[in-house]
Amino acid sequence: MFKFLKKDSGDDGMLYAIAEGKAIKIEEVNDQMFAEKMLGDGVAFQFDGDTVYAPADCTVVMIAATKHAIGVQTKSAEILIHIGLDTVKFDGKGFDVLVSEGEKVKRGQALIKLDRDFFNAEGIDMTTPMIITATEKSIKHGNVGDVTLESVSLTIE
């Protein structure tokens, strides 16, 4: 009735692009594990920048020891961001993690910087899947194509 008395949860279910560039369907990722949704449904990003950003206000719940993946939690979902394909083999080289496990972050906050020149020299496909690993709600896909940090990529309803 009185919206101003209601505390805003800060979770509208919208997940925004994690980088500026291009969003592609998860089925188009050149990795069977992601393309066949073995880890969950989602979207992937192809971008030229060097930073991966938070898709929503969330809590960092996991940072891979190899720094190539980060897990975040919103009230609606658990999300895995896997930076590049086959980047686990570099054992953390080329990544600079900017947050800590347990840290609450805001949408658009920088999570990880990557050494784009290093990965390009190694011939690594830096397509970056964002996977919903757990939710009890349905997932609505946003548009694919050019995206900015203001583009809604997925909505958890």
Side-chain angles (χ1 to χ4, degrees):
M1 182 172 172
F2 295 108
K3 269 187 151 177
F4 66 89
L5 293 176
K6 243 183 178 180
K7 189 170 183 178
D8 181 16
S9 70
D11 182 4
D12 56 9
M14 292 184 190
L15 299 177
Y16 292 80
I18 52 105
E20 297 199 350
K22 181 180 174 186
I24 63 170
K25 293 178 179 181
I26 198 69
E27 297 88 351
E28 296 176 13
V29 174
N30 192 21
D31 183 304
Q32 185 177 5
M33 183 174 59
F34 295 112
E36 293 184 6
K37 303 179 184 180
M38 293 179 194
L39 296 176
D41 199 357
V43 64
F45 300 91
Q46 296 172 329
F47 62 102
D48 293 325
D50 66 355
T51 307
V52 172
Y53 299 91
D57 291 355
C58 53
T59 302
V60 177
V61 293
M62 183 279 301
I63 299 170
T66 52
K67 303 177 185 176
H68 76 289
I70 187 165
V72 297
Q73 170 96 46
T74 68
K75 290 181 180 164
S76 302
E78 291 177 6
I79 301 134
L80 174 69
I81 300 169
H82 190 283
I83 305 166
L85 306 178
D86 284 333
T87 51
V88 66
K89 68 184 178 186
F90 296 105
D91 200 29
K93 184 174 183 189
F95 295 108
D96 183 17
V97 179
L98 306 173
V99 294
S100 304
E101 283 186 15
E103 185 174 342
K104 292 186 184 315
V105 297
K106 295 287 187 188
R107 176 175 69 88
Q109 183 175 334
L111 300 175
I112 296 178
K113 284 189 88 68
L114 55 114
D115 183 341
R116 178 65 69 171
D117 292 336
F118 168 75
F119 290 114
N120 285 345
E122 293 291 329
I124 297 300
D125 180 346
M126 291 307 292
T127 299
T128 298
M130 178 172 73
I131 305 297
I132 308 303
T133 57
T135 187
E136 295 180 8
K137 300 180 177 188
S138 64
I139 300 167
K140 179 181 172 192
H141 291 261
N143 294 329
V144 293
D146 292 339
V147 294
T148 70
L149 295 180
E150 299 301 317
S151 300
V152 176
S153 296
L154 299 169
T155 304
I156 310 300
E157 300 178 320

